Each structure stands twice: as C-alpha cells, then as structure tokens.
Amino acid sequence: MRLRRRAEESRATGPEGSVEVAFAGVLDGRRLWLAVARPVPTGAAFALRPGAAVPSTDTSDERHLAARLDLDGLAPASYDVVLAVPGGPDVPLVVPDGTVLRAATAPAATVRPRPERAPDERLRLRVEPLDPAVELAGVDLEPDGVRLDLGPDVADAPVHLVDDGGTVVASWPGPLLDDAAVADLAPQRTRVVVGDDRRPVRRRADGLADAGRGAPLPALGRLRLRWGGDGTLVARVAEDQGAGG
C-alpha cells in the first residue's frame, strides 16, 4: 500500500483533537484499508460508530497506524470511522483536501461499502445496498460480434441496453452482441442489463480506481463497451463516423 508522504506528526484539522487520514480505501469490496500517521494515543485502534463489531488485521509500521477492517456482514448504514482509545473518548479521523478515497465492489456482493468525506471533513463509511447483478466471467471479440461470458445460469438470457430513464433502447436474444442493434440509435451512454429482470453486469473483481481506463473492453463499430465507476458494464453508442461523409 503506497501512502502519500506527510509530516511525521498528524496535523489536527476539522474537529478538535482529530487525526488526519493518510489512506482509506475499500480495494476489494470486502475490507477497508486504513492508515494514519503516528503518533497516536496509546492503545488506539480503528473502529466504526455506531458500534459495529468489525474484525481487523494489523498492518502497522513505525510511521503509520494501519489496519484492514473486515466489512463482511456489515448492514447498510453510514458509519463514522474513528480511533477508539481505551478509557478515553474516540478520536475523530479527518480527510485532508485532495485525498483520494477508493471504493470497489466485490463479486456477487449485496452491498457496496465506500469511504467518503463528510461536510465536517470527518471520514465516514457508507454501506449501500446493491441490486442483484450478473458477474461477467469473460468477453471475446468474435467475427460476428462481442460475446459476453455471463455464466451458465443466464447463458441464453437476452441482453439489453437501457438509457438513463430505464427504457430499453437495444436488445439481443443472447450474449453475442453485434453492432446492427445500435445502427439507428443516437449517440448516448447506456447500461448493459441481462434477462427480463434487467440485472446489471458487474466486474468479477473491482479493485481499480478507474476500471474504465485500467480494464479496457472491446469495441465493435459504434458499440463501445466500458466499465462504469460502480463496477458495472456500460455501453457507449458512438457517433456514426460515416454520417454526412
């Protein structure tokens, strides 16, 4: 875990007595990686409030107090992230300006935990429920189109593109997507969904800060597949380069 260089002592900002966050990220959808610069109160340990019992793995070194907090089973809610001190009050954690807080969604997850900066600069963990999704196991560019490997349970289910209003704008009878279905569409960004219940398609492992750039997907004609910021599959219908030509 690479940490930004900071002063040897944590600088108090935000609430009185608070400690600055050096790193906070849910990198695999299941654990919250946390680090603050030393010194910190003796016996201090990371905790979530209201009182969620969260197992942790200590990863501290001489410069930072750090840990990985296990988030499995955490109920949807908003939690304050603090340093718990034996026999003393909790120490608030604050997020300096410009700090990147990372979030990822685990495969087959039912919730998405993500760290965020509250209006008073405190670090919070927001756990949001997720709609059921289909995991993308693979994608192949074939002569007839782009084939999505969606697993045996939905191997023959129809695939749709839906716009921001939830309207289906293009469909295929199965996981082989050709560009004929989008030939008459205006340029737009859509979501890829599967089946009559329109489940979104999610990355198998979503640990990249920008999966759209870090995990490129095939393009076919005007159909450009891409990962959205929440780890689900989107499709951009590009401009027709031959129009007017």
PDB file of all heavy atoms in Angstrom, residues 37 40 49 52 56 85 91 107 109 115-116 126 133 136 152 163 175 188 191 210-211 213 229 245:
ATOM      1  N   ALA A  37      -0.957   8.771  10.220  1.00  0.00           N
ATOM      2  CA  ALA A  37       0.440   8.963  10.606  1.00  0.00           C
ATOM      3  C   ALA A  37       0.569   8.986  12.126  1.00  0.00           C
ATOM      4  O   ALA A  37      -0.272   9.512  12.846  1.00  0.00           O
ATOM      5  CB  ALA A  37       0.974  10.264  10.008  1.00  0.00           C
ATOM      6  N   VAL A  40      -0.084   8.444  17.659  1.00  0.00           N
ATOM      7  CA  VAL A  40      -1.500   8.353  18.005  1.00  0.00           C
ATOM      8  C   VAL A  40      -1.570   7.935  19.468  1.00  0.00           C
ATOM      9  O   VAL A  40      -0.583   7.450  20.035  1.00  0.00           O
ATOM     10  CB  VAL A  40      -2.232   7.334  17.116  1.00  0.00           C
ATOM     11  CG1 VAL A  40      -2.226   7.777  15.658  1.00  0.00           C
ATOM     12  CG2 VAL A  40      -1.626   5.944  17.256  1.00  0.00           C
ATOM     13  N   ARG A  49     -18.484   3.674  14.192  1.00  0.00           N
ATOM     14  CA  ARG A  49     -19.570   4.112  15.056  1.00  0.00           C
ATOM     15  C   ARG A  49     -20.774   4.494  14.195  1.00  0.00           C
ATOM     16  O   ARG A  49     -20.593   5.170  13.178  1.00  0.00           O
ATOM     17  CB  ARG A  49     -19.141   5.333  15.891  1.00  0.00           C
ATOM     18  CG  ARG A  49     -17.929   5.056  16.786  1.00  0.00           C
ATOM     19  CD  ARG A  49     -18.323   4.155  17.961  1.00  0.00           C
ATOM     20  NE  ARG A  49     -17.215   4.001  18.915  1.00  0.00           N
ATOM     21  CZ  ARG A  49     -16.500   2.904  19.057  1.00  0.00           C
ATOM     22  NH1 ARG A  49     -16.746   1.850  18.302  1.00  0.00           N
ATOM     23  NH2 ARG A  49     -15.528   2.843  19.955  1.00  0.00           N
ATOM     24  N   ALA A  52     -20.251  -0.962  15.436  1.00  0.00           N
ATOM     25  CA  ALA A  52     -20.201  -2.177  14.643  1.00  0.00           C
ATOM     26  C   ALA A  52     -18.969  -2.981  15.046  1.00  0.00           C
ATOM     27  O   ALA A  52     -17.874  -2.442  15.114  1.00  0.00           O
ATOM     28  CB  ALA A  52     -20.133  -1.837  13.159  1.00  0.00           C
ATOM     29  N   SER A  56     -10.333  -6.902  12.537  1.00  0.00           N
ATOM     30  CA  SER A  56      -9.309  -6.183  11.780  1.00  0.00           C
ATOM     31  C   SER A  56      -7.992  -6.951  11.816  1.00  0.00           C
ATOM     32  O   SER A  56      -7.745  -7.766  12.706  1.00  0.00           O
ATOM     33  CB  SER A  56      -9.103  -4.778  12.336  1.00  0.00           C
ATOM     34  OG  SER A  56      -8.594  -4.815  13.653  1.00  0.00           O
ATOM     35  N   VAL A  85      -9.977   4.691  21.838  1.00  0.00           N
ATOM     36  CA  VAL A  85      -8.893   4.753  22.816  1.00  0.00           C
ATOM     37  C   VAL A  85      -9.389   4.150  24.129  1.00  0.00           C
ATOM     38  O   VAL A  85     -10.412   4.600  24.662  1.00  0.00           O
ATOM     39  CB  VAL A  85      -8.427   6.201  23.046  1.00  0.00           C
ATOM     40  CG1 VAL A  85      -7.284   6.251  24.056  1.00  0.00           C
ATOM     41  CG2 VAL A  85      -8.010   6.842  21.731  1.00  0.00           C
ATOM     42  N   VAL A  91     -11.261   9.299  18.990  1.00  0.00           N
ATOM     43  CA  VAL A  91     -10.531  10.335  18.254  1.00  0.00           C
ATOM     44  C   VAL A  91     -11.082  10.380  16.835  1.00  0.00           C
ATOM     45  O   VAL A  91     -11.015   9.386  16.110  1.00  0.00           O
ATOM     46  CB  VAL A  91      -9.024  10.030  18.227  1.00  0.00           C
ATOM     47  CG1 VAL A  91      -8.283  11.063  17.381  1.00  0.00           C
ATOM     48  CG2 VAL A  91      -8.466   9.987  19.642  1.00  0.00           C
ATOM     49  N   PRO A 107     -17.312  -9.320  -6.055  1.00  0.00           N
ATOM     50  CA  PRO A 107     -18.189 -10.173  -6.856  1.00  0.00           C
ATOM     51  C   PRO A 107     -19.363 -10.681  -6.033  1.00  0.00           C
ATOM     52  O   PRO A 107     -19.217 -11.009  -4.863  1.00  0.00           O
ATOM     53  CB  PRO A 107     -17.260 -11.332  -7.264  1.00  0.00           C
ATOM     54  CG  PRO A 107     -15.878 -10.793  -7.121  1.00  0.00           C
ATOM     55  CD  PRO A 107     -15.937  -9.805  -5.993  1.00  0.00           C
ATOM     56  N   ALA A 109     -21.654  -9.283  -4.638  1.00  0.00           N
ATOM     57  CA  ALA A 109     -21.922  -8.519  -3.418  1.00  0.00           C
ATOM     58  C   ALA A 109     -23.376  -8.073  -3.357  1.00  0.00           C
ATOM     59  O   ALA A 109     -24.021  -7.853  -4.380  1.00  0.00           O
ATOM     60  CB  ALA A 109     -21.000  -7.301  -3.360  1.00  0.00           C
ATOM     61  N   PRO A 115     -15.707   4.634   1.403  1.00  0.00           N
ATOM     62  CA  PRO A 115     -15.344   5.726   2.304  1.00  0.00           C
ATOM     63  C   PRO A 115     -15.694   7.058   1.661  1.00  0.00           C
ATOM     64  O   PRO A 115     -15.642   7.216   0.433  1.00  0.00           O
ATOM     65  CB  PRO A 115     -13.822   5.562   2.448  1.00  0.00           C
ATOM     66  CG  PRO A 115     -13.397   4.873   1.198  1.00  0.00           C
ATOM     67  CD  PRO A 115     -14.551   4.018   0.759  1.00  0.00           C
ATOM     68  N   GLU A 116     -16.053   8.040   2.483  1.00  0.00           N
ATOM     69  CA  GLU A 116     -16.396   9.360   1.968  1.00  0.00           C
ATOM     70  C   GLU A 116     -16.007  10.433   2.971  1.00  0.00           C
ATOM     71  O   GLU A 116     -15.837  10.164   4.160  1.00  0.00           O
ATOM     72  CB  GLU A 116     -17.887   9.446   1.644  1.00  0.00           C
ATOM     73  CG  GLU A 116     -18.802   9.275   2.837  1.00  0.00           C
ATOM     74  CD  GLU A 116     -20.271   9.353   2.473  1.00  0.00           C
ATOM     75  OE1 GLU A 116     -20.607   9.253   1.271  1.00  0.00           O
ATOM     76  OE2 GLU A 116     -21.094   9.522   3.388  1.00  0.00           O
ATOM     77  N   ARG A 126     -19.863   4.654   4.054  1.00  0.00           N
ATOM     78  CA  ARG A 126     -21.262   4.487   3.674  1.00  0.00           C
ATOM     79  C   ARG A 126     -21.424   3.108   3.042  1.00  0.00           C
ATOM     80  O   ARG A 126     -20.721   2.763   2.090  1.00  0.00           O
ATOM     81  CB  ARG A 126     -21.693   5.558   2.686  1.00  0.00           C
ATOM     82  CG  ARG A 126     -23.192   5.482   2.339  1.00  0.00           C
ATOM     83  CD  ARG A 126     -23.585   6.591   1.397  1.00  0.00           C
ATOM     84  NE  ARG A 126     -23.385   7.900   2.002  1.00  0.00           N
ATOM     85  CZ  ARG A 126     -24.261   8.486   2.816  1.00  0.00           C
ATOM     86  NH1 ARG A 126     -25.384   7.868   3.139  1.00  0.00           N
ATOM     87  NH2 ARG A 126     -24.019   9.681   3.303  1.00  0.00           N
ATOM     88  N   ALA A 133     -26.998  -8.700  -9.386  1.00  0.00           N
ATOM     89  CA  ALA A 133     -26.269  -8.473 -10.637  1.00  0.00           C
ATOM     90  C   ALA A 133     -25.758  -9.792 -11.196  1.00  0.00           C
ATOM     91  O   ALA A 133     -25.734 -10.820 -10.509  1.00  0.00           O
ATOM     92  CB  ALA A 133     -25.108  -7.515 -10.410  1.00  0.00           C
ATOM     93  N   LEU A 136     -19.633 -10.853 -14.906  1.00  0.00           N
ATOM     94  CA  LEU A 136     -19.017 -11.085 -16.205  1.00  0.00           C
ATOM     95  C   LEU A 136     -17.757 -11.919 -16.020  1.00  0.00           C
ATOM     96  O   LEU A 136     -16.776 -11.467 -15.428  1.00  0.00           O
ATOM     97  CB  LEU A 136     -18.671  -9.757 -16.886  1.00  0.00           C
ATOM     98  CG  LEU A 136     -18.073  -9.873 -18.286  1.00  0.00           C
ATOM     99  CD1 LEU A 136     -19.095 -10.454 -19.263  1.00  0.00           C
ATOM    100  CD2 LEU A 136     -17.586  -8.514 -18.791  1.00  0.00           C
ATOM    101  N   PRO A 152     -23.410 -20.051 -16.749  1.00  0.00           N
ATOM    102  CA  PRO A 152     -24.444 -20.964 -17.247  1.00  0.00           C
ATOM    103  C   PRO A 152     -25.863 -20.578 -16.864  1.00  0.00           C
ATOM    104  O   PRO A 152     -26.810 -20.894 -17.588  1.00  0.00           O
ATOM    105  CB  PRO A 152     -24.042 -22.308 -16.625  1.00  0.00           C
ATOM    106  CG  PRO A 152     -23.218 -21.956 -15.429  1.00  0.00           C
ATOM    107  CD  PRO A 152     -22.490 -20.700 -15.796  1.00  0.00           C
ATOM    108  N   ASP A 163     -31.371   3.148 -21.249  1.00  0.00           N
ATOM    109  CA  ASP A 163     -30.896   4.524 -21.096  1.00  0.00           C
ATOM    110  C   ASP A 163     -31.049   4.976 -19.653  1.00  0.00           C
ATOM    111  O   ASP A 163     -31.451   4.204 -18.769  1.00  0.00           O
ATOM    112  CB  ASP A 163     -31.606   5.463 -22.076  1.00  0.00           C
ATOM    113  CG  ASP A 163     -33.123   5.529 -21.841  1.00  0.00           C
ATOM    114  OD1 ASP A 163     -33.592   5.130 -20.746  1.00  0.00           O
ATOM    115  OD2 ASP A 163     -33.828   6.003 -22.745  1.00  0.00           O
ATOM    116  N   PRO A 175     -26.009 -13.621 -25.468  1.00  0.00           N
ATOM    117  CA  PRO A 175     -24.827 -12.869 -25.075  1.00  0.00           C
ATOM    118  C   PRO A 175     -23.918 -12.445 -26.229  1.00  0.00           C
ATOM    119  O   PRO A 175     -22.854 -11.867 -25.977  1.00  0.00           O
ATOM    120  CB  PRO A 175     -24.101 -13.841 -24.147  1.00  0.00           C
ATOM    121  CG  PRO A 175     -24.467 -15.194 -24.657  1.00  0.00           C
ATOM    122  CD  PRO A 175     -25.878 -15.066 -25.135  1.00  0.00           C
ATOM    123  N   GLN A 188     -25.202   7.989 -27.333  1.00  0.00           N
ATOM    124  CA  GLN A 188     -25.660   8.038 -25.944  1.00  0.00           C
ATOM    125  C   GLN A 188     -24.880   7.037 -25.108  1.00  0.00           C
ATOM    126  O   GLN A 188     -24.205   6.159 -25.631  1.00  0.00           O
ATOM    127  CB  GLN A 188     -27.155   7.715 -25.847  1.00  0.00           C
ATOM    128  CG  GLN A 188     -27.524   6.359 -26.404  1.00  0.00           C
ATOM    129  CD  GLN A 188     -29.028   6.152 -26.480  1.00  0.00           C
ATOM    130  OE1 GLN A 188     -29.698   5.999 -25.454  1.00  0.00           O
ATOM    131  NE2 GLN A 188     -29.551   6.177 -27.700  1.00  0.00           N
ATOM    132  N   ARG A 191     -26.652   1.479 -20.066  1.00  0.00           N
ATOM    133  CA  ARG A 191     -26.222   0.403 -19.171  1.00  0.00           C
ATOM    134  C   ARG A 191     -26.553  -0.937 -19.812  1.00  0.00           C
ATOM    135  O   ARG A 191     -27.579  -1.080 -20.483  1.00  0.00           O
ATOM    136  CB  ARG A 191     -26.928   0.507 -17.815  1.00  0.00           C
ATOM    137  CG  ARG A 191     -26.545   1.721 -16.989  1.00  0.00           C
ATOM    138  CD  ARG A 191     -27.191   1.696 -15.617  1.00  0.00           C
ATOM    139  NE  ARG A 191     -28.645   1.705 -15.681  1.00  0.00           N
ATOM    140  CZ  ARG A 191     -29.431   0.711 -15.288  1.00  0.00           C
ATOM    141  NH1 ARG A 191     -28.885  -0.406 -14.794  1.00  0.00           N
ATOM    142  NH2 ARG A 191     -30.738   0.800 -15.377  1.00  0.00           N
ATOM    143  N   ASP A 210     -10.006   3.435 -11.558  1.00  0.00           N
ATOM    144  CA  ASP A 210     -10.731   3.783 -12.779  1.00  0.00           C
ATOM    145  C   ASP A 210     -10.710   2.565 -13.689  1.00  0.00           C
ATOM    146  O   ASP A 210      -9.832   2.414 -14.533  1.00  0.00           O
ATOM    147  CB  ASP A 210     -10.087   4.989 -13.462  1.00  0.00           C
ATOM    148  CG  ASP A 210     -10.870   5.465 -14.683  1.00  0.00           C
ATOM    149  OD1 ASP A 210     -11.847   4.785 -15.054  1.00  0.00           O
ATOM    150  OD2 ASP A 210     -10.511   6.501 -15.260  1.00  0.00           O
ATOM    151  N   ALA A 211     -11.694   1.686 -13.510  1.00  0.00           N
ATOM    152  CA  ALA A 211     -11.719   0.450 -14.296  1.00  0.00           C
ATOM    153  C   ALA A 211     -11.935   0.729 -15.770  1.00  0.00           C
ATOM    154  O   ALA A 211     -11.523  -0.054 -16.631  1.00  0.00           O
ATOM    155  CB  ALA A 211     -12.810  -0.484 -13.767  1.00  0.00           C
ATOM    156  N   ARG A 213     -10.490   2.880 -17.600  1.00  0.00           N
ATOM    157  CA  ARG A 213      -9.181   3.025 -18.238  1.00  0.00           C
ATOM    158  C   ARG A 213      -8.272   1.827 -17.979  1.00  0.00           C
ATOM    159  O   ARG A 213      -7.498   1.423 -18.838  1.00  0.00           O
ATOM    160  CB  ARG A 213      -8.496   4.303 -17.729  1.00  0.00           C
ATOM    161  CG  ARG A 213      -9.178   5.589 -18.160  1.00  0.00           C
ATOM    162  CD  ARG A 213      -8.431   6.797 -17.628  1.00  0.00           C
ATOM    163  NE  ARG A 213      -9.050   8.044 -18.027  1.00  0.00           N
ATOM    164  CZ  ARG A 213      -8.804   8.675 -19.174  1.00  0.00           C
ATOM    165  NH1 ARG A 213      -7.931   8.160 -20.032  1.00  0.00           N
ATOM    166  NH2 ARG A 213      -9.407   9.809 -19.474  1.00  0.00           N
ATOM    167  N   GLY A 229     -18.102   3.634 -13.155  1.00  0.00           N
ATOM    168  CA  GLY A 229     -17.442   3.896 -11.888  1.00  0.00           C
ATOM    169  C   GLY A 229     -17.895   3.002 -10.752  1.00  0.00           C
ATOM    170  O   GLY A 229     -17.180   2.854  -9.761  1.00  0.00           O
ATOM    171  N   GLY A 245     -20.685  11.746 -44.623  1.00  0.00           N
ATOM    172  CA  GLY A 245     -19.499  11.604 -45.429  1.00  0.00           C
ATOM    173  C   GLY A 245     -19.831  11.141 -46.805  1.00  0.00           C
ATOM    174  O   GLY A 245     -19.020  11.139 -47.696  1.00  0.00           O
TER     175      GLY A 245
END
